[in-house]
Every structure is written in C-alpha cells, then in structure tokens.
Amino acid sequence: MSLPQHVRLVEVGPRDGLQNEAQPISVADKIRLVDDLTDAGLSYIEVGSFVSPKWVPQMAGSAEVFAGIQRKANVTYAALAPNLRGFEDALAAGVKEVAVFAAASEAFSQRNINCSISESIDRFLPIMEAARLHGVQVRGYVSCVLGCPYEGDVAPEQVARVAKALFAMGCYEVSLGDTIGTGTPGATRALIDAVAAFIPRSKLAGHFHDTYGQALANVYASLLEGIQVFDSSVAGLGGCPYAKGATGNVATEDVLYLLNGLGIDTGVNLDRLIRAGQRISEVLGRPNGSRVAKARLAS
Ligand code: HMG
Ligand code: MG
C-alpha cells in the first residue's frame, strides 16, 4: 500500500500526557499548553477528561481549562467522557467532541472504569444518543490492543469485536490504543488487518505508547497498513494511571519529524511544537521526552 499524502495528528498531551502527573499543574499552565499546541498548527487537541476526580485527580480542572483556552476555527478541542454524567459536564463546558473509552481486556476495563467491557458499551449508548441530539461527534478508544498489564496477550479478534461495537454504535473513528507500549510492528500490522475486516482503515487511528521504544516503528507499520490518523503527545508526556509503568505516548515532535521526512503533510510547525513541548517540560521540571526536540534544542 502506498503512503498517504496527509496525516491527521491527534494531540493527546494535555489529557493522556498530564493525567498521570502526581504533582499539581495549574489551570493556567494547562491553558498555555493547549494554546501553544493550537499555535503550532495542530487541528485536534484532546484538552481534558470529565471523569471522576477520585480516579484521576489531575483532570479535575478540565472545565476551567476549556473556559480559558483560545479556540481557533477548524481546530477540534475534545475531552474524554466515561459516562453520561461526564458527557453532560463536557457539554456544559462547551465541548464539541468527546471520546469514549473501552478496553479489549476485561481486567483493564475493571481497573480503569470499574465495569466489564459489555457494561462499558451499555454505558456509552446514552452518550451516543445525547451526542446525536446535541450535534457532538464521538470518537472511540480501545485500550490494551497489543497487550494488557494484567492479562498479557490480547487476541486481535477480541480487539476487533470491541472496535466493531464502538463503530456500530456511532463512533466516527476508533483509536487503537497500545496502552502499555509492548506492541511491535508485525503485531501492529496483524492487528490492523484483523480490525479492518470490520471497520474501514480510514476510520481507524493508531495510539502508541512508547514504553518499549516501539512506538515510532509502529506508526510506520500502521502507515504501511493505510492508517492516516495518529495520536501522540507533545514532549512524549504521560502514561496511564491504570497501567503501572506505562510511559507516555510517542512524542508528537518525533512523529512529525518522521512524517516530514516521508513528505507527508500534517499542517503542524515543528519549531513551534518543540517550543510548546519544552515549555511544558520546564513546568513539570523534567527532561523533554522527544528525541527530536532534545536534538534540536542541543544544536
Ligand atoms: P465508579 O466509582 O464505578 O462510578 O467509577 P460511580 O458511578 O459509582 O461514581 C462514583 C463517584 O464518582 C460518585 O461520586 C460519582 O458522582 C462520581 P461520590 O458520590 O463518590 O462523591 N462520578 C463522576 N464524577 C465526575 N465525572 C464523572 C463521574 N462519574 C461518576 N464523569 C468511573 C466509574 C467511570 C466514573 C471511574 O472509573 C472513572 O472516572 N474512570 C476514569 C479512568 C480514566 O480516566 N482513565 C484514564 C483514561 S483511559 C486511557 O488513558 C487510555 C487511552 O489513552 C487509550 C490507551 O492508551 O489505550 C484512552
Ligand atoms: Mg493512552
């Protein structure tokens, strides 16, 4: 399959990146991060989550973040919603697109959202209905698509079943999450093949955490499989609170450098993106997790 001419980058740093941070991060710093990412030319930014603050304390200020950001036309500012309550809170905060999240493994579903996979799908149905009423688009996530921290291997057929359920209920796109970053390019290609039996490739996205250093290779493998949407996190921020040891998503700067090298258009400016990643890394007081940013900043 030939490579795409255009790729959409879904920036998940403010949500997936920051949700795992134990230290308090001010609303002002979160707003500045989102605004910096808008200035870098990203067309889709996951700003926060409307989840229980007892489960993910860092996302508690998401409504305030939405209230403070400078929204630009043609940029989607999205949030996670695990249930109808989360959807309603998101709507009240002016959110125009939400993401629901299911898991491909039962154990992860229980630890992450305290219910079985099928219960989670049932919980999403009223969200879909309310979203339709309010003209809100819903994106779907499947976690643990290439391995589970509690169950180990996850069968591609199981991922396909959950992805199919999300797509069938009206998610316009399903993001396949390698939550613990154990996937390798061969497994990634086999997974996409299995899921593509039920969902068009143009409706799938890749979401790779970089725990085992495979994420960029998995992005390339996915490109070869016809995937054109990738989730990534500026400065490689983050992890998942319910996947111990999982590191951040692949760094957006590194994915962008790869895509630029392949002549694939994204609309994102690398220098501005590096500045955004460096600024939040300094706020967090930690080294920048993007190899490209580190190299550029050292030169
Ligand atoms: P539960 O305890 O079963 O829910 O949690 P509950 O309905 O019994 O409610 C418990 C309490 O939470 C109640 O408050 C509710 O009001 C409140 P209390 O009476 O105890 O004071 N509550 C809420 N508060 C705010 N917003 C809400 C909400 N719902 C209930 N929406 C629940 C179930 C789903 C709420 C919980 O498990 C939860 O919030 N989980 C979120 C976990 C999470 O955010 N994980 C990280 C995101 S997923 C991820 O990172 C993976 C991904 O990146 C892809 C990948 O990498 O694979 C997407
Ligand atoms: Mg994730």
Side-chain angles (χ1 to χ4, degrees):
M1 196 172 289
S2 59
L3 294 174
Q5 290 186 329
H6 181 84
V7 154
R8 180 157 59 86
L9 290 176
V10 170
E11 172 59 52
V12 296
R15 193 280 303 171
D16 205 345
L18 298 187
Q19 70 182 7
N20 204 29
E21 281 296 327
Q23 59 177 310
I25 305 163
S26 72
V27 166
D29 282 327
K30 292 178 182 173
I31 291 171
R32 194 170 62 183
L33 171 61
V34 175
D35 288 348
D36 283 351
L37 294 166
T38 299
D39 288 344
L42 286 146
S43 62
Y44 192 116
I45 304 171
E46 212 172 63
V47 172
S49 295
F50 291 86
V51 298
S52 163
K54 288 185 189 143
W55 288 66
V56 186
Q58 189 61 257
M59 290 291 106
S62 290
E64 287 88 337
V65 179
F66 270 98
I69 56 174
Q70 300 272 337
R71 296 188 202 214
K72 198 169 154 190
N74 304 323
V75 178
T76 301
Y77 299 96
L80 294 195
N83 51 22
L84 192 57
R85 153 89 190 271
F87 176 81
E88 283 166 353
D89 290 353
L91 202 63
V95 178
K96 302 278 190 309
E97 172 155 335
V98 299
V100 295
F101 47 109
S105 103
E106 285 294 350
F108 190 80
S109 185
Q110 290 292 349
R111 303 279 181 116
N112 194 37
I113 48 176
N114 204 23
C115 64
S116 69
I117 298 170
S118 73
E119 282 166 343
S120 73
I121 300 289
D122 290 345
R123 261 184 209 173
F124 300 154
L125 287 169
I127 297 183
M128 302 307 301
E129 207 176 301
R132 258 189 297 273
L133 265 172
H134 290 93
V136 169
Q137 290 220 94
V138 184
R139 191 169 192 250
Y141 277 108
V142 185
S143 288
C144 297
V145 299
L146 289 163
C148 167
Y150 312 109
E151 292 180 10
D153 289 345
V154 172
E157 295 70 29
Q158 170 63 8
V159 179
R161 262 194 296 278
V162 179
K164 188 180 161 194
L166 292 177
F167 191 62
M169 72 168 56
C171 292
Y172 73 92
E173 181 173 285
V174 178
S175 176
L176 301 174
D178 183 10
T179 319
I180 54 171
T182 50
T184 51
T188 297
R189 295 193 75 164
L191 171 72
I192 293 166
D193 258 351
V195 179
F198 303 101
I199 303 177
R201 285 161 202 257
S202 60
K203 304 288 181 189
L204 294 174
H207 177 111
F208 299 104
H209 285 259
D210 201 28
T211 319
Y212 283 71
Q214 304 295 302
L216 215 49
N218 291 337
V219 168
Y220 189 64
S222 304
L223 283 169
L224 294 174
E225 286 293 325
I227 303 303
Q228 300 180 29
V229 182
F230 294 97
D231 305 352
S232 59
S233 190
V234 70
L237 297 173
C240 176
Y242 297 99
K244 221 174 169 27
T247 64
N249 299 84
V250 63
T252 311
E253 299 89 323
D254 298 2
V255 177
L256 180 59
Y257 184 81
L258 171 77
L259 297 172
N260 285 349
L262 292 167
I264 298 173
D265 168 57
T266 59
V268 182
N269 179 291
L270 183 58
D271 291 333
R272 287 188 190 176
L273 185 62
I274 289 173
R275 278 202 292 278
Q278 187 54 21
R279 189 133 81 161
I280 187 66
S281 299
E282 282 165 14
V283 167
L284 297 173
R286 73 169 47 141
N288 194 315
S290 155
R291 302 283 292 267
V292 169
K294 267 195 283 218
R296 283 292 173 90
L297 292 165
S299 63

